[in-house]
Amino acid sequence: MSGLVSIVGAGPGDPGLLTLRAADRLRRCDCVVYDHLASPRLLALTPAGCEQIYAGKEAGNHALPQEALNALLAQKAKEGKRVVRLKGGDPYVFGRGGEEALYLKGAGVPFEVVPGVTSAVAGPCCAGIPITHRGLATSFHVYTTASRTGEDPVDWAAAARQEGTLVFLMGLSRLENTCRKLLENGLSPDTPAAVVSRATTPLQRTVRAPLGELAAAVRAAELPPPAITVVGQVASLGGALDCFEERPLFRRTVVTTRQKTHGFDLSAALEEAGARVERLDAIRIRPCPGEDLQRAFARLGEYSYLIFTSQNAVRIFLEELRRSGRDLRALAGPCLCAVGPATAAALAREGLAADLTPPRHTSTGLWEVLEGRLGPGDRVLYPRAKAVRGKLGEWLPTRCPTDQVVLYETLEDARDLGDALIALWGGEADYLTFTSPSAVESTLRALGPDFARCLAGTKIVSIGPVTSGCLRAHGLEPALESGRCTAEEMAQLIVEDSRA
């Protein structure tokens, strides 16, 4: 039985510009064959067990010749697999997607094409350059200066006569020839022009100059590929319309260590502010509820206080509650305590309101409130992590009967840390965030014994005093600390600090 090949456009570089249909195909594929221009972050959308094959094509370096790649796609589909051929930009804009589609058609292999956002439009857009603009350009013309035969593929006389915007893809190494040919064929040296490198990503850089000076300006700036060249009157609007590169954290690199939760996404918030974010998720949460939790469920009506000190505790406790055949009505009796607003928000997402949240969002702050309330007639249920820090578990039994049940444990997870570690060791990281003591411990182990030297030029951002205390125990002083103990405030502090 034959499978299906989806020839999918990955967009111009920013994973957020992937289309919904492309994301759907990635989530359901058995095999993905991807180019070097497709963001590695997109591969995380594929299901567990998906075969990933790199077929990147860079100048002078093809991981797979086109003929072998065509045959590979057909072979995988004939094995009954759902194959995604992931290509940068749009498959049919200088992506050889048409050649691959023709081969599959001839081989009798079912295929589909999923269009992508092309960098020819998105790149200038993110540099503040509309490729059409009333009174300046009513058309645009997209060229590639690359050629399989080595011959110049552009009719320069025709290009120079165009009244619209000229866009050149894959041509950074031939920029001097491009500028010279356009000038020789009649374009004025004063024609506005720009080169956008690594467009739509946090590494985007734009050089603007008149056509006659563009090649020298780009050479002096040492722009890396891939890059897009824009020539025409619309390039003069770049400075006025640039919003992408004016975001507060643009060209800043932040390494986050926050494990995945159902709450506020710190990494996404930082990326929205323009940062390049590398995720160093060196820990993972593994639920490990035991019989003591089931016994606690059976006596929920006896508890006067139910204490949550993390979002993970909320999530896993309620998952196990439902798995036991109970629902939220079982929690009608106890006072629900949340250590801080993030934990309270996790309860709210489940339809529960926190009855008590302390002014100081720490276990100590929670104890300061509970100490005067608890008496011998009360009973407390405290679901927590296996290796919990802090004194709360010691203090509670001094006031009333307390049942502490283990819900989950924190484990080290050293997968996919490469880019984050490179950013730290290479001195590229401006900020490093920590949202728990366990993240501190696992990250420092991943960095190795020389972690202090590695982090010497990086500002450390802590979610609160408990995490800061763990950092100081290792000789590290946080530059920024959230007073409200929330990831939201951490993002705000980083933005404010970058503006200082």
Side-chain angles (χ1 to χ4, degrees):
M1 184 179 67
S2 180
L4 171 72
V5 176
S6 299
I7 303 174
V8 174
D14 178 0
L17 295 176
L18 188 74
T19 67
L20 294 174
R21 180 174 295 179
D24 173 75
R25 298 305 187 265
L26 284 168
R27 292 189 181 103
R28 296 193 292 123
C29 70
D30 304 303
C31 174
V32 58
V33 182
Y34 63 99
D35 281 352
H36 82 283
L37 289 178
S39 170
R41 296 255 303 276
L42 301 181
L43 300 180
L45 296 175
T46 60
C50 174
E51 184 180 11
Q52 298 180 356
I53 302 173
Y54 177 65
K57 295 181 180 180
E58 302 173 69
N61 179 21
H62 289 199
L64 278 178
Q66 187 65 49
E67 295 74 14
L69 196 156
N70 293 342
L72 174 68
L73 296 175
Q75 172 197 331
K76 294 296 181 182
K78 288 179 179 179
E79 292 173 3
K81 294 182 176 180
R82 291 166 296 186
V83 182
V84 166
R85 172 69 175 106
L86 191 63
K87 307 172 73 67
D90 181 272
Y92 282 1
V93 179
F94 300 128
R96 304 188 72 173
E99 297 176 39
E100 293 168 6
L102 285 171
Y103 181 91
L104 294 169
K105 184 76 173 179
V109 174
F111 72 92
E112 65 171 352
V113 179
V114 179
V117 177
T118 174
S119 61
V121 174
C125 175
C126 286
I129 303 172
I131 59 172
T132 65
H133 189 82
R134 188 168 60 175
L136 296 180
T138 57
S139 65
F140 64 92
H141 312 267
V142 183
Y143 303 88
T144 176
T145 59
S147 170
R148 283 185 295 172
T149 63
E151 298 178 357
D152 196 330
V154 180
D155 183 340
W156 294 106
R161 288 195 301 269
Q162 301 294 345
E163 295 183 359
T165 305
L166 308 181
V167 180
F168 298 89
L169 304 182
M170 301 179 292
L172 188 61
S173 63
R174 304 173 185 85
L175 180 60
E176 291 193 17
N177 179 69
T178 297
C179 295
R180 184 177 64 255
K181 291 290 188 180
L182 291 173
L183 293 170
E184 289 174 352
N185 283 275
L187 278 189
S188 168
D190 296 326
T191 304
V195 172
V196 189
S197 168
R198 298 180 178 179
T200 78
T201 77
L203 300 176
Q204 175 177 305
R205 291 173 60 195
T206 305
V207 170
R208 301 179 179 86
L211 180 62
E213 303 171 17
L214 183 65
V218 170
R219 187 168 57 250
E222 298 182 340
L223 291 187
I228 302 158
T229 302
V230 185
V231 179
Q233 295 302 315
V234 292
S236 64
L237 299 174
L241 299 181
D242 185 6
C243 57
F244 186 83
E245 296 184 26
E246 292 183 351
R247 293 176 297 171
L249 295 182
F250 191 72
R251 295 203 183 99
R252 304 283 184 143
T253 297
V254 183
V255 175
T256 61
T257 61
R258 182 174 178 82
Q259 67 271 24
K260 296 177 178 64
T261 71
H262 295 282
F264 179 80
D265 191 332
L266 176 60
S267 296
L270 294 169
E271 286 176 333
E272 188 173 336
R276 167 199 171 194
V277 176
E278 298 293 351
R279 294 163 173 81
L280 203 161
D281 292 323
I283 58 177
R284 63 184 175 91
I285 301 301
R286 187 178 77 86
C288 56
E291 291 299 322
D292 54 349
L293 180 62
Q294 296 304 317
R295 289 192 292 269
F297 285 159
R299 60 191 308 178
L300 277 172
E302 301 177 19
Y303 294 109
S304 43
Y305 290 88
L306 173 53
I307 295 174
F308 292 106
T309 56
S310 74
Q311 298 177 66
N312 287 312
V314 172
R315 175 176 59 85
I316 297 169
F317 182 88
L318 294 178
E319 286 175 356
E320 294 299 321
L321 182 73
R322 295 186 179 99
R323 193 171 287 118
S324 73
R326 300 171 175 85
D327 59 27
L328 298 183
R329 289 174 295 179
L331 304 180
C335 172
L336 300 183
C337 305
V339 72
T343 305
L347 285 167
R349 286 192 295 274
E350 297 287 350
L352 296 167
D355 300 303
L356 189 156
T357 303
R360 289 206 307 138
H361 307 143
T362 65
S363 295
T364 301
L366 185 56
W367 170 248
E368 290 170 352
V369 175
L370 289 173
E371 185 179 16
R373 294 187 177 206
L374 296 176
D378 290 308
R379 190 177 194 93
V380 172
L381 176 58
Y382 177 25
R384 60 173 179 80
K386 187 174 184 179
V388 69
R389 293 177 179 270
K391 297 288 187 177
L392 186 61
E394 299 176 15
W395 293 331
L396 288 169
T398 66
R399 303 295 296 174
C400 66
T402 301
D403 293 336
Q404 300 186 51
V405 297
V406 172
L407 282 180
Y408 62 92
E409 60 182 336
T410 301
L411 304 175
E412 292 193 22
D413 188 351
R415 297 172 297 175
D416 302 325
L417 304 184
D419 290 342
L421 292 178
I422 289 171
L424 289 169
W425 277 110
E428 302 171 15
D430 298 290
Y431 299 93
L432 170 62
T433 71
F434 289 108
T435 57
S436 68
S438 54
V440 173
E441 301 286 359
S442 58
T443 298
L444 298 187
R445 279 193 287 271
L447 289 174
D450 206 14
F451 62 80
R453 183 174 64 85
C454 170
L455 301 178
T458 300
K459 290 186 177 181
I460 296 175
V461 186
S462 167
I463 197 169
V466 175
T467 300
S468 296
C470 182
L471 286 163
R472 292 187 182 104
H474 289 282
L476 298 173
E477 183 64 30
L480 304 170
E481 179 184 291
S482 169
R484 298 196 299 269
C485 301
T486 65
E488 292 95 326
E489 188 179 38
M490 292 175 73
Q492 181 182 347
L493 289 173
I494 291 172
V495 170
E496 291 173 354
D497 183 77
S498 71
R499 287 171 169 164

